[in-house]
Amino acid sequence: MNRFWKWVRNKTPAGEDPDLAERTLFLNGTIASESWFDDDVTPALFKSDLDSGKGPITVWINSPGGDVWAAAQIYNMLLSYTGKVTVKIDGLAASAASVIAMAGDEVLVSPVSMLMIHNPATAAMGDKDDLAQAISMLDSVKDSILNAYVKKTGLSKNKLSKLMDDETWMDANKAVELGFADRVMERPDLYHEEEPEKKVPEQDDPDEDDPEKKKSDPDSEEDQPEKEPDDPKKKDEDRIRTGFMYSSRQMAAAFTNKVKNHYKTVNTAPEKPVIDIAEGRSVDALMDRLNLLHTMM
């Protein structure tokens, strides 16, 4: 007996039941080199392997087809399996292999895979009654295959029968479009952008419009005494005192005002006009500054 299937059991995390571990089933090549029609051993071995676990299974298919009886039995076994069944077509799922693919709870197709459906075929010999019986059997086999296709795709039997008559080949997108597959396989995303933090909308203050609340609020603007208008000269003096200067022009103007105010307190002579720094100084103004420096020393 030549086994056309291979099971791989994934590693079981510590503390978990090995029977619930995920398993992978590979179906490569021809589905059963010998017919399962009159075979009790091979189907039993496949079912024994299938029932050796209870966890989810992934079925990878790359097959041109084969024995329709084997495909039908594998389909029924996968359909009745209690765990989740995911089918992945990574190459070709043609003829009988396409029937097995319909047993998946989810069917994924590689972007470069193909799926093909056609009418069943057989070889027959004998008289006309024997050939008529073979034709009747092929019709019944086709109906059984159509049942699997209808269940998965939701298409009508008439449309699917026409597709089988025409021997329809489907690429990944066409298989998804017609319902034979659920989606095209993609490489899992490696990077995930973090969602931006949601801004909490500002809530209105319920006491904002309450006049009584405003009166009792010490920070209320209405309770604050009126401020006197700012004196630009005082601002300049404050900047000199604190050492904060924002431009050379402001610093020069502040220093001039400071000297001018001090000059008023020392000299009783009539005030002489101060010439703007940008326009230069007169001789008298320079002499006044020198006298001021002497008094400050």
Side-chain angles (χ1 to χ4, degrees):
M1 180 190 62
N2 181 22
R3 291 197 183 191
F4 55 89
W5 69 89
K6 179 182 179 182
W7 286 96
V8 176
R9 187 182 295 272
N10 298 349
K11 291 183 179 180
T12 306
E16 292 190 8
D17 187 353
D19 290 339
L20 299 178
E22 184 176 356
R23 294 178 296 159
T24 303
L25 169 62
F26 294 94
L27 298 179
N28 294 316
T30 303
I31 304 298
S33 57
E34 297 179 0
S35 177
W36 283 18
F37 183 82
D38 196 22
D39 185 355
D40 295 328
V41 177
T42 310
L45 285 174
F46 184 90
K47 183 170 177 56
S48 176
D49 290 344
L50 175 63
D51 293 339
S52 64
K54 300 178 182 179
I57 60 175
T58 299
V59 183
W60 287 89
I61 299 178
N62 183 23
S63 170
D67 180 24
V68 68
W69 308 117
Q73 286 185 285
I74 294 173
Y75 171 86
N76 291 332
M77 292 177 191
L78 293 176
L79 200 63
S80 61
Y81 182 71
T82 55
K84 181 181 179 181
V85 177
T86 302
V87 172
K88 295 183 178 181
I89 302 172
D90 64 338
L92 174 64
S95 189
S98 69
V99 177
I100 296 176
M102 300 299 99
D105 296 311
E106 185 179 21
V107 179
L108 283 63
V109 285
S110 164
V112 294
S113 64
M114 296 289 292
L115 190 145
M116 186 272 282
I117 63 174
H118 65 174
N119 288 329
T122 188
M125 61 180 298
D127 58 18
K128 64 176 184 178
D129 293 332
D130 294 328
L131 296 179
Q133 185 178 3
I135 293 173
S136 177
M137 182 190 66
L138 288 175
D139 289 337
S140 297
V141 171
K142 180 177 181 178
D143 285 337
S144 66
I145 294 173
L146 281 170
N147 290 335
Y149 292 156
V150 169
K151 179 178 175 61
K152 177 60 181 176
T153 65
L155 299 176
S156 67
K157 269 194 173 184
N158 290 336
K159 182 171 183 177
L160 289 167
S161 178
K162 181 66 168 59
L163 293 174
M164 293 177 70
D165 292 341
D166 296 338
E167 187 175 299
T168 303
W169 289 79
M170 293 167 274
D171 63 8
N173 293 325
K174 192 65 175 180
V176 173
E177 178 186 339
L178 293 177
F180 287 89
D182 297 300
R183 63 183 177 89
V184 179
M185 284 188 286
E186 296 180 357
R187 182 185 295 276
D189 295 332
L190 298 178
Y191 304 99
H192 301 277
E193 295 183 0
E194 296 183 359
E195 295 184 0
E197 295 183 0
K198 295 182 179 179
K199 294 184 178 180
V200 180
E202 296 182 358
Q203 297 182 353
D204 296 334
D205 186 358
D207 300 325
E208 184 177 359
D209 299 329
D210 188 354
E212 296 297 330
K213 179 66 177 177
K214 285 186 176 181
K215 289 182 180 180
S216 60
D217 187 359
D219 296 330
S220 175
E221 294 182 358
E222 295 182 1
D223 296 337
Q224 299 296 329
E226 293 184 2
K227 295 182 179 180
E228 297 180 358
D230 294 332
D231 184 358
K233 293 182 180 179
K234 188 174 184 304
K235 279 188 176 182
D236 291 334
E237 292 177 0
D238 291 340
R239 291 193 185 103
I240 290 287
R241 189 178 300 110
T242 57
F244 289 104
M245 290 287 107
Y246 300 99
S247 70
S248 57
R249 180 180 293 275
Q250 286 181 336
M251 186 169 61
F255 180 76
T256 301
N257 289 331
K258 185 176 179 65
V259 173
K260 179 181 177 181
N261 292 335
H262 185 78
Y263 173 76
K264 285 182 179 180
T265 60
V266 174
N267 296 282
T268 57
E271 182 180 356
K272 295 182 180 181
V274 178
I275 301 176
D276 187 76
I277 296 176
E279 298 178 358
R281 298 184 179 87
S282 64
V283 176
D284 292 338
L286 291 175
M287 292 300 297
D288 291 339
R289 298 293 172 85
L290 290 174
N291 293 332
L292 175 62
L293 291 175
H294 283 298
T295 59
M296 295 176 64
M297 293 177 62

